[in-house]
Amino acid sequence: MHERQSIAAGLEPVAAAFENGHFAASVDGELVVDLGERDDLVLIFSGTKGLVAVCLLMLIEQGRLRLDDPVAAHWTGFSSPDVLVRHVVSHTAGLPGLVPPPELAELLDDEGMALRVAAQQPFWQPGERLAYHALTYGWLCGGLVRRIDGRSIGTFFAEEVAKPQGLELWIGLPAELEPRVAELVRAPGYAVSFEGDDVSLLEAQYGPLLRHFPWNEEAFHAAEIPGANAIGTARSIALLYGRLDRILGPETLRLGRTELSRGPCAITRYPYAFGVGFELQTELGTLGPPANAFGHTGSGGSAHGAWPDERVGFSYVPTELRSLDDDDRARRLLAALYACL
């Protein structure tokens, strides 16, 4: 096994806090930490949502999308006239799941799933409650990008973000890269965090993923599942967050991390806060010590984001997936990094 250890002078305590998986950090857009077991590509689950947020913010900056636009103004056939773009990006659209839930194979058809979400009536009044749109966030945002721009969100991200920045990061993995994908291993107790009281809502939210784990399958790497299946390297994600000012203007970046929603998920009771697609800090401190950190976490322990004042981008990508209660790997790494700055 090839072990990679690249640490800038003064950041050695970060390596001491590193346990397994892959961790990278950048300062001023340049890599200063790159740790990992191999030069693997790894699936980042909901870390994908931060990549999608960048795409939406690009459309906003170009004047092609506004937060107060009704989704139906861009999406012919979208069933709810009350759902605004700001609801979609802040997980308050009232569309956190589907009834009936999709079959597992349906998840591979991004446009088919977008059409299903478009036909779903909101579970409650849009803007009324925060409920984590675990999968539907991706199909809603992907559907908007396709209808505004004409490209799928995976193609848009590849052509407008990843390729210009030289990033190994994809929503929909090219087949020739499949041999580089790391196998994910579930630790005992790994499961969705749920402290709610309505299991039927959880079923609508996650559907077949409550019973199946398809994330080591090639088909689930090649498809575009824009809420859950981006694949790449930790260093590319750290560079993306560290170079957001090369992709978006300062006003757009400020908008992206402006709080639009905060509170416990109406389904799972897990605490969240959101800007324009980006996850913001909560009392859990999952994005490191800075209060103004933003980015997105992912199932199994991953954490990706930026610290604006420190000009830092970071990404922790585990290959062993752990439950929330049994995992402090990212917190330890981010605390060590912050203490060194």
Side-chain angles (χ1 to χ4, degrees):
M1 180 179 292
H2 174 64
E3 180 117 350
R4 189 178 61 255
Q5 294 266 342
S6 177
I7 301 272
L11 298 179
E12 292 84 1
V14 178
F18 178 70
E19 183 178 340
N20 57 34
H22 306 263
F23 180 68
S26 64
V27 176
D28 291 325
E30 300 301 324
L31 210 60
V32 294
V33 177
D34 188 13
L35 303 172
E37 297 161 356
R38 288 181 297 231
D39 197 24
D40 289 336
L41 302 175
V42 188
L43 191 142
I44 63 171
F45 294 101
S46 284
T48 309
K49 294 179 175 71
L51 281 53
V52 170
V54 174
C55 299
L56 271 288
L57 286 165
M58 292 181 76
L59 292 179
I60 289 172
E61 185 165 276
Q62 293 164 9
R64 303 163 76 186
L65 184 67
R66 294 179 295 273
L67 288 182
D68 289 324
D69 288 348
V71 171
H74 298 281
W75 192 330
T76 301
F78 193 85
S79 64
S80 176
D82 296 329
V83 175
L84 307 181
V85 172
R86 69 169 53 249
H87 298 145
V88 169
V89 297
S90 62
H91 296 257
T92 60
L95 295 166
L98 293 166
V99 179
E103 297 295 326
L104 188 65
E106 290 182 80
L107 304 185
L108 300 173
D109 178 4
D110 62 305
E111 180 59 10
M113 292 310 304
L115 293 174
R116 278 211 58 187
V117 177
Q120 175 72 48
Q121 287 299 309
F123 289 28
W124 41 77
Q125 181 64 29
E128 183 180 285
R129 304 183 198 178
L130 189 162
Y132 187 53
H133 289 44
L135 294 168
T136 54
Y137 166 92
W139 297 319
L140 287 163
C141 292
L144 277 168
V145 170
R146 188 185 292 272
R147 281 150 185 82
I148 293 168
D149 181 78
R151 289 175 284 184
S152 73
I153 196 158
T155 301
F156 184 97
F157 180 79
E159 295 179 352
E160 301 295 334
V161 181
K163 288 179 183 176
Q165 296 298 324
L167 304 177
E168 290 192 303
L169 198 51
W170 296 268
I171 305 172
L173 187 73
E176 64 271 18
L177 296 173
E178 177 63 26
R180 287 183 58 193
V181 178
E183 182 177 6
L184 301 174
V185 177
R186 291 170 285 174
Y190 169 71
V192 173
S193 174
F194 178 68
E195 297 181 5
D197 50 18
D198 190 339
V199 176
S200 69
L201 287 175
L202 187 71
E203 177 73 19
Q205 188 180 31
Y206 286 96
L209 298 180
L210 294 175
R211 295 173 296 281
H212 301 280
F213 186 83
W215 302 112
N216 286 319
E217 298 175 18
E218 183 173 354
F220 278 80
H221 301 161
E224 293 186 23
I225 307 175
N229 85 327
I231 293 177
T233 63
R235 62 179 172 274
S236 285
I237 304 169
L239 288 171
L240 170 66
Y241 278 106
R243 294 174 179 175
L244 283 177
D245 59 352
R246 305 181 191 182
I247 300 169
L248 299 166
E251 290 185 11
T252 308
L253 271 176
R254 279 194 293 272
L255 175 66
R257 55 190 176 94
T258 297
E259 184 176 308
L260 298 181
S261 64
R262 179 178 292 273
C265 171
I267 299 174
T268 66
R269 306 303 183 204
Y270 186 82
Y272 286 107
F274 293 103
V276 180
F278 289 130
E279 191 176 350
L280 308 180
Q281 282 284 37
T282 68
E283 61 271 28
L284 299 181
T286 52
L287 297 171
N292 63 346
F294 68 96
H296 219 289
T297 56
S299 180
S302 73
H304 325 276
W307 298 341
D309 295 342
E310 291 77 14
R311 308 178 310 283
V312 164
F314 63 85
S315 174
Y316 174 63
V317 185
T319 53
E320 181 187 80
L321 309 178
R322 299 181 185 175
S323 69
L324 289 168
D325 295 335
D326 299 324
D327 195 8
D328 66 349
R329 291 170 295 177
R331 285 189 185 86
R332 286 189 285 110
L333 282 164
L334 294 174
L337 176 65
Y338 185 77
C340 291
L341 298 176

